Amino acid sequence: MMVGRNKLLSVASGSRWQGGQTGAALVIVLGLVSVMCVTAVVAFNMFGMFARKTANSQMFSQAREYALAGEMLGAKRAGAFIKVNEFFGVNDTVSDAEKRLKIDMPIDGGRIVGALKENTNCFNLATMVRKMPSGSFVANVTAMQQFSNLLQAMGIGKTEATSLTAALTDWQDSDTRPLPMGAESATYNQLDPPYRTSDSRLVSIKDLHLIRDFSVDLVEALTPLVCIDPLDTQTLLNLNTLQPHHSLLVKALLGDLITMQQASQLIAARPPGGYDHNRRFWQMKMFEDKAIPETVRGQFITTPRRFLLTVDVYLNSARTRLNSALHFNPDGSYIIISRYFGA
């Protein structure tokens, strides 16, 4: 009897051990299933997020392609505007200029909207140096004098204007010898942190902040009056689109030949139909008995040379903006001076 009871106890104990083992295994399995379910949910969510990101990336990529197409359309509009300006004069195009210089085109899932703005009338800072056949840059004396004229017309003293002009030219020319009152790399190497001159043409108007004595206020005052176009060798002004505030630029190019008041009078005296050739401008009584170099005469033109183009693309939930600067040659062809995406 004793042996039988021990056997029963042994069997019962084994059953309980096996039952406990089975329960533990069940808990482990349930835990694994739970982890697998959570992992599956996370993986599914990550896949969905990846799919959305891929779709958004494709959409933004497509929006950029539309923006580049808008750039081509804008360039054609600008070219057409130049032709109309040449054939029909200024006043005949002014009433329709707003429509002609805007882009508004529906696309599948959105719209392309753009605007062109002529940007010929500005002092071209890239002309402060001339590019030599060797690829080096040397000072352009004529442009230096005209930039100094501009600074003086803005109310800056002659000595300071000369110093600023020399520093700007030294920043762009290739040699290491400072111009009188100028500043080469040796000057900037003493700063903390030190840096060097560019030794090439400016890339951005913001670069002026790096140049000696170009204060924040001065750069802010210059910004609406200057531009950078490496394709032109001299500053050009479009006689047919000069506005009253451009009198500073007229004074800059003509210097002591006229006063600020006369510069304003020259702009106001533009004939109703504009100028078909700059000869009519130089025939004005104000220029009698004044020796004006042919190079300076050639800086006054009668058709646009540059445009700024902004293209906004709205495509479903995507939006992108393209900013372009266009340079037009006399034969009607154009070159993209600069291009960037963003506000």
Side-chain angles (χ1 to χ4, degrees):
M1 289 296 291
M2 200 60 152
V3 173
R5 191 160 48 244
N6 288 337
K7 286 183 178 180
L8 288 174
L9 289 172
S10 177
V11 170
S13 175
S15 297
R16 284 196 300 272
W17 181 81
Q18 290 179 350
Q21 194 175 41
T22 302
L26 181 60
V27 170
I28 293 173
V29 170
L30 289 175
L32 289 173
V33 170
S34 176
V35 170
M36 291 172 64
C37 289
V38 171
T39 302
V41 170
V42 171
F44 183 79
N45 288 337
M46 290 180 65
F47 178 79
M49 183 175 64
F50 176 76
R52 287 192 298 273
K53 283 186 176 181
T54 301
N56 288 336
S57 177
Q58 292 174 344
M59 191 181 303
F60 275 105
S61 178
Q62 187 177 4
R64 288 195 167 202
E65 293 296 326
Y66 274 125
L68 293 172
E71 181 186 70
M72 294 178 61
L73 178 59
K76 289 185 177 180
R77 290 276 176 87
F81 179 78
I82 292 173
K83 289 297 181 184
V84 171
N85 190 279
E86 288 176 346
F87 288 121
F88 299 106
V90 179
N91 279 11
D92 294 320
T93 63
V94 166
S95 60
D96 197 39
E98 287 296 316
K99 183 187 297 183
R100 188 174 292 110
L101 293 177
K102 289 186 180 296
I103 303 168
D104 192 349
M105 185 174 66
I107 56 177
D108 187 20
R111 203 166 199 84
I112 300 176
V113 180
L116 282 155
K117 178 183 177 183
E118 191 199 353
N119 193 42
T120 305
N121 296 321
C122 53
F123 193 98
N124 187 359
L125 298 178
T127 65
M128 300 291 289
V129 291
R130 292 182 292 110
K131 189 172 185 179
M132 305 301 289
S134 63
S136 62
F137 295 99
V138 298
N140 181 344
V141 177
T142 299
M144 288 179 64
Q145 181 59 61
Q146 291 178 337
F147 185 69
S148 179
N149 293 341
L150 174 61
L151 294 175
Q152 292 176 65
M154 295 169 63
I156 295 174
K158 185 174 182 179
T159 300
E160 185 180 356
T162 301
S163 176
L164 288 164
T165 300
L168 174 58
T169 306
D170 274 336
W171 183 268
Q172 299 182 81
D173 67 19
S174 299
D175 64 38
T176 58
R177 298 184 305 275
L179 293 164
M181 303 180 71
E184 284 286 356
S185 292
T187 298
Y188 303 101
N189 283 336
Q190 299 175 20
L191 302 178
D192 185 16
Y195 55 92
R196 300 182 57 201
T197 58
S198 172
D199 294 340
S200 62
R201 287 183 172 129
L202 292 173
V203 175
S204 168
I205 293 173
K206 294 180 181 179
D207 292 344
L208 290 174
H209 290 290
L210 298 172
I211 301 175
R212 188 201 63 191
D213 294 336
F214 276 79
S215 65
V216 173
D217 290 341
L218 176 58
V219 175
E220 183 179 350
L222 280 170
T223 296
L225 297 170
V226 300
C227 57
I228 299 171
D229 182 353
L231 301 177
D232 273 329
T233 57
Q234 56 186 356
T235 292
L236 300 173
L237 299 181
N238 181 2
L239 291 168
N240 288 326
T241 54
L242 286 171
Q243 299 301 311
H245 66 278
H246 291 139
S247 58
L248 288 166
L249 298 172
V250 176
K251 171 65 174 169
L253 267 56
L254 295 177
D256 294 334
L257 292 171
I258 60 170
T259 64
M260 274 298 300
Q261 182 179 2
Q262 289 174 322
S264 298
Q265 291 172 353
L266 286 172
I267 295 174
R270 181 173 57 221
Y275 297 99
D276 56 356
H277 196 283
N278 68 359
R279 282 192 299 267
R280 292 181 59 191
F281 175 73
W282 297 116
Q283 290 169 357
M284 296 179 68
K285 188 175 181 180
M286 193 181 298
F287 297 119
E288 288 182 358
D289 302 324
K290 290 186 178 179
I292 301 173
E294 285 300 319
T295 53
V296 174
R297 291 175 181 266
Q299 291 182 263
F300 292 82
I301 60 178
T302 57
T303 56
R305 177 60 64 93
R306 284 183 298 274
F307 285 89
L308 297 178
L309 171 63
T310 302
V311 178
D312 288 302
V313 176
Y314 303 89
L315 180 62
N316 297 320
S317 61
R319 179 190 173 184
T320 190
R321 167 170 287 189
L322 174 63
N323 302 275
S324 305
L326 311 176
H327 172 103
F328 279 82
N329 298 312
D331 63 2
S333 61
Y334 71 92
I335 299 172
I336 307 295
I337 303 172
S338 64
R339 172 198 289 150
Y340 69 91
F341 286 95

